[in-house]
Every structure is written in C-alpha cells, then in structure tokens.
Amino acid sequence: MATARLDYVAPWWTYWLHNFPHFNFLFQSVDSTFKPGEASYQQSLIFLACVGAVGLGLSLLVLAIFLVCLCCCRKDVDEDTKRPNTCCVTLVAVVTGLIICSAVGVGFYGNSETNDGVYQLTYSLYNANHTLGGINNLISGSQGSVGTGLKEHLERLDEIFATRADYLQALRFLQLMVNNVIRELTALPDISKTNVDLAVIADQTAFIEYYRWLSYLLLLIVDLVICLAMCLGMAKHSQCLLITIMGFVALSLILSWASLGAATATAVGTSDFCVSPDKFIVNQTKDFLSTDVAHYYLFCRPNLPNPFQQSLTICQRSLTTMQIQIQGLLQFSVPVFPTAERDLLGIQRLLNSTEFSLHQLTAFLDCRGLHKDYLEALMGVCYDGVEGLLYLSLFSLLAACALSTMLCAIFRVWTLMGSREKEYDDIDEEDPFNPQAQRISYNPRRSNTHSFCSYTSSLGSQASLHPPPQSASNIMPPPEYMNQSMLFGGTPRYENVPLIGRGSPPPSTFINIFTQYEDHLSIYD
C-alpha cells in the first residue's frame, strides 16, 4: 500500500508576520524576502527588535506621570483623613498578580513549544547529516576500491597474461569498465561541504536554544517569585521587602521588554524564511548542487526524474559486466596460469563489495529520506517554533504591562504606609488610650507622682461622699459588680500597684467610689 506524500504548507501566522513592515535605519522600506546576509535586511530585523525599547520607554513615561500625579495628590489630601481607602490598591494588586500568573502560564507553554520545534529541527539536521555523510563515505569508498584496488590487480594480471593476447584483451575491457565506474562516481555531487555546514548549524542551534530556554525559564520563575513577594510585602507592611520587590520588578520589566523585541524579530525573520524556504535553499546550495538536484530533494515529486539514475545504472551495468568477465577468466585462465587465481579472486571480492555499496548508495540517494527530514525540520521551525515565539511575545507583553502596573501599586502602598506612620507620630503621647503609650519607657518618678495625686484626689472624693451612719437593717448587700475586682487578680499585689505607664489608681478604688455613691443615693429612696 503506497503511503500518501506530505507537502509543506506554510501556516497562516507566518504570512501574517511576513507582511510586517520592514524598515532600515533610514526608515526606508526593505524587501521582506529572507536574506540574512544583506545589511538592509539585518537592519530591518534590528528595527523590529527596537519595539521592546519603545515599550520600555512608554512604561517609564507612564511611571513618571503616575509618580508626579501621586506627589501632587498627596499635597491635596485632607489632613483630617486618618485612614485612606486601600481597597482600590488591593484590587489592583490582586488583578495584577492574576495577570502575571496567567502570563507565566502562557510563557511556559510558549517556551515548551519553541523548544520542541527547535529540537525537531536539530534532530532532522542530524538525520540529514547522517544521510549525507553516508553518501559521501560510500562514494569515496567505492572510488577508492575501484580506482586503487582493481588497478593493482589488473596490473599484475597484465604481467601474468603477457603471452596471451586474448586474455590481455579481456583485461583491457575490464580496465574500460573500471574507468566508466570511476567516471560515473565522480559525476555524483560532492556533498562533503554540505555535510560540514549541516553539522555546524545543528550544533550552534542546539547550543543557542539551550541558553534561550534556560533564560526564559529563569524569567518565568522570577515573575512568580515577584507575585508571591508582593503579596507578602503588602500583608506584612514591610518597607524593606517592598524596596527589594521594586528592584526585582524593575529588572524583570526591562527583561520582559527586551525579550519581547527579541522574540518579535526572531519570529518575523523565521516567518520570512518559512514563507519561501525552497528559494533560499536553492540559492545557498547553487555553488555545489545543480538546480535539478536541489529541486529533486526539496519537492520529491513522482514526475521529477532522479538526476542520479543514469550514473547509477551505468555503474551497475559495468559491475555486472566485470563480474561476467572475471567468471570467464577464472574458468579458462586459471588452469593455464595458476598464479592468476589470487588476483582474480581479489577482483571478484572487490566487485562484490562495490556492488553492495552501490545498492546502499542508491537507497541513500533516493529523495524520500532527505525530503522527510526536510519536511520535519520545516514543521518544527515554522509550526511549533514560530507558534511558541508568538506565545512568548504575548507573555512578554502581558508581563511588562502587569509589572508596570505593579510598580504603580507598590508606589501607592509605599505612600499609604508613610502616611500611616505619620498619623501614629501625630497622636498625643499623654492620651491614656494611645496604644503607643504602652511602648514608652517607664519613668518611675513621673508615674509615682501622678499616681499619688490621682489616688489622693480619689480619697478626697471618697471623704466627700461618705453617708451618715445607718442601722444594720438598712445595710444593703454589696452590688454585683463588687465581685468584678476578682478580674484583676483579687490580691494585694495587683490592688496596690497602679496601671503601669498610665498613672492610674488600682481598680478597686473605682469600685469603692461607685459603691459609696450608690449607698448615698439609696438614702434618698
């Protein structure tokens, strides 16, 4: 059953990227045809990479405007406002964190897709390199065995058969066949240069891809750590942590815009190649491959003739003819010239090995193997690779915008924390309900004096509220809240010690005052 032949069709996103405007440094339009060797085309890709620099400049401009507005708004804030509303800042921080987490997910997918595409490219290059290396080895091995080994045996047989003209004529015919084989093998394309180029390209591509993948992975991890640190800094109200976060956010912002420019330029350049890869390869291989050979491997269509078929057929027929001649010499010349048997058997072994190598060479030169590697390389680069670069560009754009918003939120949180500390500093230290008063260092002289005055004044109040003597029948039971003194320990240790740092009498003093006041009121009932 014949297998369906696959053709390469460039995806729609490569055409979309290919239609991006290409300008050089002088803002002149440049042809979008993939020509990496031309300076104007290189300038157009660098111009596209500057999109990241433009985005970074806009981000810094927005941040500067926000800081100016923030400083101006702080001067207009009402001084009576003690607690600014932080719901808006919290909502912005949460939304920004969600956007960054979503962008990181997109980035992980794009990084994986790009890595898969590049891996498929390098794998196909190594397979094609192995095929081309096998072709080169088979051609050079066959030329060496036919050109050197057979000629040595024929020269010795020429000396042995010097007295027989009919045998010498057979040797001349064998020499003619050897020359035909050497000539046809030499006519095959020399692909040693192609072999070296593919190996170098595969190694360099794998090296660059490893560090590209690692760099994006670190950037994605840093963005996740920034989100977690941002939440922790806002929860802890830590200014030191916020300063550290601002430094990392600024660094990640610069890297995000830089990665956006690099990914965009790479995606556009790769799309320019993917739209018309055949034309570029034909131009690159025209120095050592003819156009029909290049088209044979690039398209591999049934209607395209095999450019090596004629040479391979001549070699195969020449080897078959030489085998027949050697069989006849072994049958008729060995009884007369026994010393010729060794050279004749050596020629036969060389012909067998050369014929086997020729069958392998025919299989290697078939277009299906190399064309399969070519299609897989294009699928890896133009489908997975470019698609992954688009996702990485989206990640960089979302992350850059979210990080810019995060910087604005951090600046706002910073101002809120500063205003809150200023409010704490404005609170009166003498206020007995001030929580900070508990943190003020205890002054024994001041505390004792204040306690004494408060205590004596309380005693004076008690003396003025003393009721007249009562009979035993009029004595009322103590109120229920007298038992509340047990909340303060109920021991002389806590009764005789005023509240620390506040200069107040013991709690039981207030209870006695209210008890006596209630007894005084009961007299008039």
Side-chain angles (χ1 to χ4, degrees):
M1 181 177 179
T3 58
R5 186 180 60 87
L6 298 177
D7 290 330
Y8 167 74
V9 178
W12 63 267
W13 54 80
T14 58
Y15 288 100
W16 178 63
L17 293 172
H18 178 67
N19 292 327
F20 272 22
H22 293 62
F23 296 99
N24 57 13
F25 293 158
L26 300 176
F27 295 95
Q28 297 175 350
S29 180
V30 177
D31 186 15
S32 59
T33 304
F34 186 69
K35 298 177 181 178
E38 294 186 0
S40 59
Y41 184 80
Q42 296 175 1
Q43 292 178 5
S44 66
L45 295 182
I46 297 175
F47 187 85
L48 289 172
C50 292
V51 172
V54 174
L56 179 60
L58 291 176
S59 297
L60 296 178
L61 180 61
V62 170
L63 289 175
I65 295 174
F66 178 80
L67 289 177
V68 172
C69 295
L70 189 62
C71 294
C72 295
C73 291
R74 283 190 65 186
K75 296 180 181 179
D76 299 335
V77 173
D78 188 8
E79 295 180 356
D80 296 335
T81 303
K82 295 298 182 181
R83 289 189 177 274
N85 189 10
T86 60
C87 295
C88 183
V89 179
T90 304
L91 180 61
V92 171
V94 171
V95 173
T96 301
L98 293 177
I99 292 176
I100 291 180
C101 292
S102 302
V104 168
V106 173
F108 272 113
Y109 178 76
N111 198 30
S112 177
E113 283 293 304
T114 304
N115 184 258
D116 291 342
V118 176
Y119 174 78
Q120 190 172 355
L121 169 65
T122 56
Y123 183 78
S124 300
L125 287 176
Y126 283 126
N127 282 342
N129 177 58
H130 178 266
T131 302
L132 296 177
I135 293 173
N136 188 44
N137 293 332
L138 288 173
I139 292 176
S140 59
S142 299
Q143 288 178 345
S145 61
V146 174
T148 304
L150 287 181
K151 284 186 177 181
E152 291 179 356
H153 290 293
L154 290 176
E155 289 177 355
R156 285 194 294 267
L157 288 176
D158 190 59
E159 296 177 357
I160 295 173
F161 297 150
T163 58
R164 295 290 302 267
D166 52 346
Y167 294 157
L168 290 176
Q169 186 178 1
L171 293 178
R172 299 294 179 272
F173 183 75
L174 290 175
Q175 186 65 43
L176 180 61
M177 295 294 103
V178 170
N179 293 334
N180 289 337
V181 173
I182 295 175
R183 183 180 66 254
E184 296 302 329
L185 291 176
T186 306
L188 296 176
D190 184 11
I191 54 177
S192 59
K193 186 176 181 180
T194 307
N195 182 26
V196 173
D197 291 341
L198 285 180
V200 172
I201 292 173
D203 292 338
Q204 292 179 350
T205 304
F207 177 80
I208 295 173
E209 169 58 21
Y210 172 74
Y211 286 101
R212 185 213 60 80
W213 173 84
L214 184 62
S215 300
Y216 268 102
L217 182 63
L218 294 177
L219 181 59
L220 293 168
I221 294 175
V222 167
D223 287 345
L224 285 179
V225 172
I226 286 175
C227 289
L228 297 177
M230 177 67 180
C231 297
L232 182 62
M234 294 184 65
K236 296 290 185 180
H237 299 283
S238 174
Q239 291 185 348
C240 295
L241 186 57
L242 288 179
I243 292 174
T244 305
I245 293 173
M246 280 192 285
F248 279 100
V249 169
L251 177 62
S252 181
L253 179 64
I254 296 173
L255 294 178
S256 296
W257 284 117
S259 64
L260 175 62
T264 302
T266 305
V268 172
T270 307
S271 299
D272 293 339
F273 166 78
C274 293
V275 168
S276 181
D278 305 330
K279 183 178 179 181
F280 173 75
I281 294 176
V282 169
N283 292 331
Q284 292 295 314
T285 58
K286 63 182 180 181
D287 295 335
F288 51 88
L289 284 181
S290 59
T291 304
D292 57 343
V293 173
H295 286 174
Y296 173 70
Y297 287 111
L298 293 177
F299 301 106
C300 193
R301 294 171 182 171
N303 57 350
L304 290 177
N306 188 345
F308 312 112
Q309 187 62 45
Q310 183 177 359
S311 298
L312 294 174
T313 302
I314 293 175
C315 290
Q316 183 64 44
R317 291 176 179 177
S318 299
L319 291 175
T320 303
T321 303
M322 293 171 67
Q323 287 279 14
I324 296 174
Q325 293 292 326
I326 294 299
Q327 288 290 341
L329 290 175
L330 283 173
Q331 182 178 0
F332 297 105
S333 64
V334 170
V336 181
F337 302 98
T339 56
E341 183 178 7
R342 179 180 178 182
D343 291 315
L344 291 175
L345 292 176
I347 292 174
Q348 191 176 40
R349 286 192 297 269
L350 287 176
L351 291 177
N352 290 333
S353 63
T354 303
E355 190 172 3
F356 178 74
S357 298
L358 188 63
H359 287 300
Q360 288 184 320
L361 182 61
T362 303
F364 274 121
L365 289 175
D366 187 79
C367 67
R368 287 173 291 182
L370 287 175
H371 184 69
K372 178 177 177 294
D373 296 331
Y374 172 65
L375 287 181
E376 290 179 352
L378 288 179
M379 294 295 180
V381 173
C382 302
Y383 280 83
D384 294 339
V386 178
E387 182 184 5
L389 289 175
L390 288 176
Y391 280 110
L392 289 177
S393 300
L394 179 61
F395 151 72
S396 299
L397 182 60
L398 291 177
C401 296
L403 290 171
S404 301
T405 308
M406 180 177 287
L407 272 179
C408 296
I410 292 175
F411 290 144
R412 180 58 178 163
V413 171
W414 181 275
T415 56
L416 292 178
M417 293 176 64
S419 62
R420 186 169 297 177
E421 290 183 358
K422 184 177 179 181
E423 292 166 9
Y424 283 135
D425 294 338
D426 294 339
I427 296 176
D428 187 7
E429 295 180 357
E430 300 297 332
D431 186 2
F433 298 99
N434 180 13
Q436 288 189 351
Q438 299 179 1
R439 297 194 294 268
I440 301 176
S441 61
Y442 175 65
N443 189 350
R445 179 176 301 176
R446 178 186 175 185
S447 178
N448 291 337
T449 303
H450 197 181
S451 299
F452 178 75
C453 295
S454 301
Y455 187 66
T456 55
S457 63
S458 299
L459 291 178
S461 300
Q462 293 180 36
S464 64
L465 294 176
H466 275 220
Q470 303 180 28
S471 61
S473 61
N474 294 331
I475 298 176
M476 297 181 63
E480 183 178 355
Y481 55 77
M482 282 293 291
N483 296 328
Q484 294 179 0
S485 62
M486 298 303 293
L487 296 175
F488 300 95
T491 61
R493 175 183 177 187
Y494 295 102
E495 281 294 318
N496 298 327
V497 178
L499 296 179
I500 297 174
R502 296 199 180 186
S504 301
S508 61
T509 302
F510 295 102
I511 298 175
N512 293 332
I513 292 173
F514 287 118
T515 303
Q516 294 173 8
Y517 181 70
E518 184 177 302
D519 294 339
H520 181 72
L521 293 177
S522 64
I523 295 174
Y524 300 98
D525 293 340

